[in-house]
Amino acid sequence: MEIREIEAFLAVARELHFGQAAAHLGISTPRVSQAVRALERRVGGPLFERTSRRVRLTPLGERLEEELRPAYDRMERALSEAQRSVRPGVLRVGVSTSLPEGVADRPIRAFERAHPQCAVVRSAHPNTDPSRWGDEWPVDVFVGWLPADLAMVRDLGVRVGPVLLRDERAVLVGTGHPLARRAVVDVEELADHDLLYPSSMPERIADLWIPRTTPSGVPLRRVARYASASIEEAIILAAEGDAVHLTVASLRPDNPHVVSVPVSGLPPMICAPAWLAGAQNPMIREFARVAGMSEARSR
């Protein structure tokens, strides 16, 4: 029995959703499905009942999880203890300035409790910084916003840990803007307005935040108006009133001249730890593991 099969099975058993299990493990949904099917072939029977509306454990799956979960947790603890004894080190954690208060605190505190001898150096960054860092990240792991389609992120050579938060989309608009008094804006309507993004951001990175077209195929007008990639500058430009900034619904601008309006028709963004595929710090994956366990307990 391969460890990847066990990890996939336990993740789906916890989430009861193949896509969310894949996000937790930082791999694709098809790979999770393949691993579960391989385990089902080994066991000789179905472990999950799958329909278009729900996923649930079969009696066989329930028994297997009951036996495997404690053993897997003991193995993880043993590995963590071994790592702590020889690799205390330092973990540099970058946190997006646009995250809701406290979202990054929970996994960081959980990691510090699990690894008290590993020094955590925390720093704050504009959310788009990782896209501009290339292969020279100033942090080991970054906790920030990512598109729900993680394949787009992996194509950039970035690996993603467990999902900490999902958030719907919204636009920041000046109080005098035609959309300011709307209860909700359909994404198709955004084709009539300029959408802000940093001039230093390559278009393939802009695609992570702002699609090139609406779902019906109408091009969206992305305009490069600022260079810093900071949410603070985007808020100032949105306050000027002639362009809007596509963001997440949880962001509440501290500016009386800007309002946030929900956007329908776009997939949500996710908040998750991310790191370079070639990163060598062994504590990165341990941070992702602890973050996932902490998030699961908080539900």
Side-chain angles (χ1 to χ4, degrees):
M1 190 178 299
E2 295 187 11
I3 189 66
R4 73 185 67 180
E5 297 171 6
I6 297 174
E7 289 177 334
F9 165 70
L10 292 177
V12 177
R14 179 177 55 245
E15 302 288 346
L16 295 180
H17 190 286
F18 278 76
Q20 292 177 14
H24 172 79
L25 295 172
I27 61 177
S28 67
T29 302
R31 285 184 62 188
V32 170
S33 298
Q34 291 167 8
V36 169
R37 285 196 299 270
L39 185 57
E40 288 176 328
R41 288 194 295 271
R42 291 179 188 275
V43 173
L47 301 175
F48 296 98
E49 293 179 6
R50 308 169 178 85
T51 70
S52 59
R53 298 178 61 86
R54 63 183 299 182
V55 174
R56 66 180 181 182
L57 286 160
T58 63
L60 176 61
E62 290 176 350
R63 291 197 299 273
L64 185 61
E65 183 193 23
E66 187 176 328
E67 294 293 331
L68 283 181
R69 182 79 66 186
Y72 181 79
D73 288 344
R74 285 195 299 272
M75 181 187 70
E76 288 284 282
R77 285 195 297 272
L79 289 172
S80 296
E81 288 296 331
Q83 287 180 330
R84 284 200 296 268
S85 66
V86 298
R87 300 170 175 171
V90 174
L91 184 70
R92 301 168 301 165
V93 181
V95 178
S96 168
T97 55
S98 61
L99 288 182
E101 184 176 356
V103 170
D105 294 338
R106 186 164 56 243
I108 290 175
R109 286 197 298 266
F111 178 81
E112 289 175 327
R113 287 193 298 269
H115 299 275
Q117 74 281 43
C118 180
V120 175
V121 179
R122 175 172 174 164
S123 55
H125 303 267
N127 190 67
T128 48
D129 262 357
S131 65
R132 305 195 303 166
W133 290 338
D135 294 330
E136 299 294 333
W137 284 30
V139 298
D140 298 304
V141 60
F142 181 77
V143 182
W145 295 111
L146 299 167
D149 182 2
L150 294 181
M152 299 176 68
V153 183
R154 296 190 192 99
D155 288 345
L156 299 174
V158 175
R159 297 294 175 261
V160 181
V163 175
L164 306 178
L165 179 68
R166 286 180 171 82
D167 201 0
E168 300 300 323
R169 306 304 302 274
V171 284
L172 300 182
V173 301
T175 52
H177 194 278
L179 300 179
R181 291 180 175 80
R182 298 284 297 279
V184 64
V185 175
D186 188 273
V187 63
E188 298 293 337
E189 298 177 80
L190 294 183
D192 298 326
H193 303 277
D194 290 341
L195 300 176
L196 295 164
Y197 83 102
S199 58
S200 59
M201 181 186 291
E203 289 209 1
R204 67 188 183 118
I205 306 299
D207 292 344
L208 303 183
W209 279 92
I210 310 171
R212 292 174 182 262
T213 67
T214 68
S216 70
V218 180
L220 289 173
R221 302 201 306 256
R222 305 193 301 206
V223 295
R225 295 274 183 87
Y226 63 114
S228 71
S230 72
I231 186 62
E232 292 78 12
E233 187 173 359
I235 290 172
I236 292 172
L237 290 172
E240 295 176 356
D242 64 335
V244 303
H245 178 63
L246 185 59
T247 183
V248 288
S250 61
L251 182 64
R252 292 291 180 263
D254 185 18
N255 186 314
H257 304 294
V258 176
V259 296
S260 174
V261 183
V263 173
S264 63
L266 283 176
M269 300 291 284
I270 64 170
C271 169
W275 61 93
L276 278 175
Q280 299 299 312
N281 190 332
M283 302 309 289
I284 294 175
R285 292 189 180 277
E286 178 61 10
F287 178 86
R289 185 190 71 81
V290 171
M293 294 178 62
S294 173
E295 188 62 25
R297 293 194 194 102
S298 69
R299 293 176 183 173

